[in-house]
Amino acid sequence: MAVRDPLRPTVQRGQLTATGATAPQGDCGFPQVAPALGDLLQVIGYDFISPALLTEALTHPSASAVDHGRSRRTKNPFPPLPGKRGRGRVGSSYERLEFLGDRVLGLVVAELLWRRFADESEGSLTRRHTHLVRRETLARVADTIGLGRYLVLSRAERAASAATNPAILADACEALIAAIYLDGGFEAAVSFVRRFWQPLIEGMTGPPRDPKTALQEWAQARGLGLPRYQLVATSGPDHAPLFTVAASVAGGEAATATASVKRAAEAGAAEVLLERLVGRG
């Protein structure tokens, strides 16, 4: 019995249109209730059968806060169309979907890499995979989609520019992947990931090197010892903190970087410092 390649899905209702295609007017889920949302659906190329899943994927935890034991849910800004029964949990935030989307993305990217780089070792594929599923890449894809404009946020988070926070954008992007997976199945999720990650895969010149490892190798090759990393500042709200880390070698001039995760900040600082040191020769 022949087994069909899951990365070559058949197109069915609720699944992605071809890249660059424009969904017909009135076929985007919310054309009259929220016209702006139609723009999002056209960009991602997917028409949700269950709009409540999309609402959940776009809802930040701040918009479903709990006060004195009673839930104060943000009103669903995207009511379902007649005949479309919601499977999502309207009023819930994207946190559970984020968990699922992370796993779906990891699997799809792993298979895309496995097929694209058939002669590469496991180590090289792992480095590529790590680069493609990291928070920075997710935030980049979310920015390409314009996802921040559609997030459901509390007034405080909106005022704090949460819609442009890379960590929040990355989480929402994972949630969107999960929503598409639950709504249209694995093939729909594969098509979405392929649409936005395949260009990133094709643009890779080689397996990325971890900046911290590269800086360490540079320093040790010159007998300078291990690089030093120091947390110099913490900012942002409790649920989305930002960390600023300084990296230095042999007590020399430090380079700093800021990220929502300490490890990412360390990597960013290492990358900046290495570029500076290499540039000096």
Side-chain angles (χ1 to χ4, degrees):
M1 179 179 66
V3 178
R4 182 170 54 80
D5 181 355
L7 294 183
R8 296 183 179 276
T10 55
V11 178
Q12 300 176 358
R13 178 179 179 273
Q15 295 186 6
L16 290 168
T17 59
T19 301
T22 300
Q25 181 65 29
D27 191 39
C28 294
F30 321 98
Q32 297 177 351
V33 175
L37 194 60
D39 297 338
L40 172 63
L41 298 181
Q42 288 181 16
V43 170
I44 68 175
Y46 185 81
D47 178 19
F48 276 83
I49 298 171
S50 300
L53 279 168
L54 178 58
T55 300
E56 184 174 343
L58 296 175
T59 302
H60 185 263
S62 67
S64 57
V66 176
D67 183 33
H68 300 293
R70 295 188 61 185
S71 177
R72 297 185 298 156
R73 306 292 191 183
T74 296
K75 182 180 179 180
N76 178 13
F78 314 127
L81 294 181
K84 291 194 172 185
R85 304 180 64 181
R87 292 169 53 198
R89 304 178 309 151
V90 176
S92 299
S93 74
Y94 57 54
E95 290 177 308
R96 283 174 54 85
L97 288 177
E98 172 197 346
F99 166 82
L100 178 60
D102 174 69
R103 275 67 181 175
V104 174
L105 174 65
L107 174 58
V108 177
V109 168
E111 185 164 354
L112 288 173
L113 290 172
W114 184 81
R115 294 181 182 279
R116 175 63 179 82
F117 303 103
D119 298 326
E120 285 197 356
S121 67
E122 181 270 344
S124 294
L125 292 175
T126 296
R127 292 202 300 275
R128 290 184 187 273
H129 187 276
T130 299
H131 177 80
L132 290 167
V133 301
R134 66 179 184 170
R135 178 162 290 179
E136 292 80 2
T137 303
L138 279 155
R140 176 181 171 186
V141 171
D143 186 62
T144 298
I145 295 172
L147 200 57
R149 294 190 293 131
Y150 305 95
L151 294 180
V152 181
L153 302 162
S154 67
R155 289 183 180 179
E157 290 302 321
R158 179 68 66 180
S161 301
T164 60
N165 184 313
I168 292 175
L169 288 174
D171 293 345
C173 190
E174 288 180 330
L176 178 61
I177 293 171
I180 292 173
Y181 165 73
L182 292 173
D183 191 74
F186 184 65
E187 293 178 351
V190 167
S191 297
F192 172 83
V193 174
R194 186 207 300 273
R195 181 177 186 134
F196 292 100
W197 266 264
Q198 192 69 49
L200 302 179
I201 292 174
E202 298 302 328
M204 302 177 83
T205 57
R209 297 181 66 195
D210 172 57
K212 294 181 64 176
T213 300
L215 179 61
Q216 178 176 319
E217 292 174 351
W218 184 93
Q220 290 183 324
R222 291 159 179 79
L224 299 176
L226 296 176
R228 180 170 180 266
Y229 298 93
Q230 181 179 5
L231 178 66
V232 296
T234 302
S235 60
D238 292 339
H239 71 271
L242 293 174
F243 304 96
T244 299
V245 171
S248 61
V249 173
E253 182 183 357
T256 62
T258 302
S260 56
V261 178
K262 290 181 182 178
R263 185 173 59 181
E266 291 176 351
E271 185 174 9
V272 172
L273 180 57
L274 183 61
E275 290 178 355
R276 183 186 301 168
L277 293 171
V278 172
R280 292 174 181 173

